[in-house]
Amino acid sequence: MAYEQRAVGITSAVIGAVALASIPLSFTGPAELRLAVIGPFLLAGPGTALILFLKPARLQKGTGFEVLPLAAAIAVSFSLASGILLSTAMLYTGFWHPSVAVSLLAVLTLGLLAAVDRRSRRKEAAR
């Protein structure tokens, strides 16, 4: 149980750091650095935060590496779907600003990670 909480904490910290770095880099910065940070974030950031927030029963029952492919598929699928939905909404409204879209996805990700942290702190306090 402690190992699982530590893994969730490390994953949350990494995703949170990349999300925070994506906000200023979405507006300015060297192209190579922007690609290296924002690309992986858009590919897996929001989806990983969603998995940590939802904790599906099938993922909770599994142990070790047997659930890793499922978790990775869900993370990438949700991340790409949220980016596509946001891009489509921006096109239909005529508000096309990719930097704002990356920032919105980063804020969504940080919000989900904050909810995960809050829930884990409540569980620790209840023990």
Side-chain angles (χ1 to χ4, degrees):
M1 191 66 139
Y3 173 76
E4 178 183 327
Q5 289 176 348
R6 187 178 318 132
V8 168
I10 291 171
T11 304
S12 295
V14 169
I15 296 297
V18 173
L20 279 174
S22 295
I23 295 172
L25 284 174
S26 67
F27 293 98
T28 185
E32 296 83 13
L33 183 61
R34 292 173 79 178
L35 179 63
V37 173
I38 295 173
F41 167 70
L42 289 177
L43 187 64
T48 304
L50 180 73
I51 287 175
L52 293 175
F53 178 72
L54 293 180
K55 292 193 341 184
R58 185 170 180 189
L59 291 177
Q60 288 178 359
K61 290 178 186 175
T63 57
F65 292 105
E66 64 192 33
V67 296
L68 191 59
L70 176 64
I74 293 171
V76 171
S77 299
F78 180 76
S79 295
L80 292 176
S82 62
I84 289 170
L85 288 173
L86 185 57
S87 298
T88 303
M90 290 173 73
L91 281 173
Y92 277 118
T93 60
F95 182 78
W96 182 250
H97 296 284
S99 298
V100 174
V102 171
S103 298
L104 285 173
L105 287 173
V107 168
L108 168 75
T109 301
L110 292 170
L112 286 170
L113 292 175
V116 168
D117 184 55
R118 185 175 178 192
R119 182 175 53 204
S120 68
R121 289 180 192 269
R122 254 193 256 145
K123 283 184 180 179
E124 287 178 12
R127 291 182 188 179

